[in-house]
Amino acid sequence: MSLTGLLATAPSKLLYHGYDGTDGFTGFANEGTWIIFAVVLVPIYIMLIAWFTGKPRDTKSGLLGVTYLVGLTTSMWVGMLILTMIIGVVFYGGLPEPIGAPGP
């Protein structure tokens, strides 16, 4: 391999350590997402249902709880999205999938 070719591929080899992109696999709805929403969050779903179907029933407090949960979840997801974008730009030279180009 020529020196020019080695210098051109060195950043990719250092950053990716020989791993290729996962074209067609990344994005929102992969296996981990389904496990989190279908299995891990079951106690949260039960809690939400109990707020509105249990006795004594207090719809105002239930809606306040739902508002808090939505607010916390949104702030965590948006914060992680911003952090993911920063990490992608700083360490990998571009925005991650599905916002940026697929693969290295």
Side-chain angles (χ1 to χ4, degrees):
M1 182 179 265
S2 69
L3 182 61
T4 307
L6 182 65
L7 290 175
T9 60
S12 178
K13 292 198 182 294
L14 288 173
L15 291 174
Y16 294 107
H17 301 289
Y19 293 102
D20 289 329
T22 53
D23 187 31
F25 186 70
T26 58
F28 178 75
N30 57 28
E31 285 84 4
T33 304
W34 293 114
I35 289 173
I36 288 171
F37 283 108
V39 177
V40 176
L41 293 178
V42 167
I44 303 296
Y45 301 146
I46 293 171
M47 178 187 68
L48 287 171
I49 293 168
W51 281 351
F52 294 102
T53 62
K55 295 191 189 294
R57 191 174 309 167
D58 186 4
T59 306
K60 184 179 176 184
S61 294
L63 290 174
L64 183 63
V66 169
T67 303
Y68 282 144
L69 282 175
V70 168
L72 287 170
T73 305
T74 303
S75 66
M76 290 188 320
W77 278 60
V78 169
M80 288 305 297
L81 175 67
I82 293 169
L83 186 61
T84 301
M85 297 302 135
I86 292 171
I87 289 171
V89 169
V90 170
F91 293 105
Y92 298 103
L95 294 173
E97 291 180 46
I99 295 171

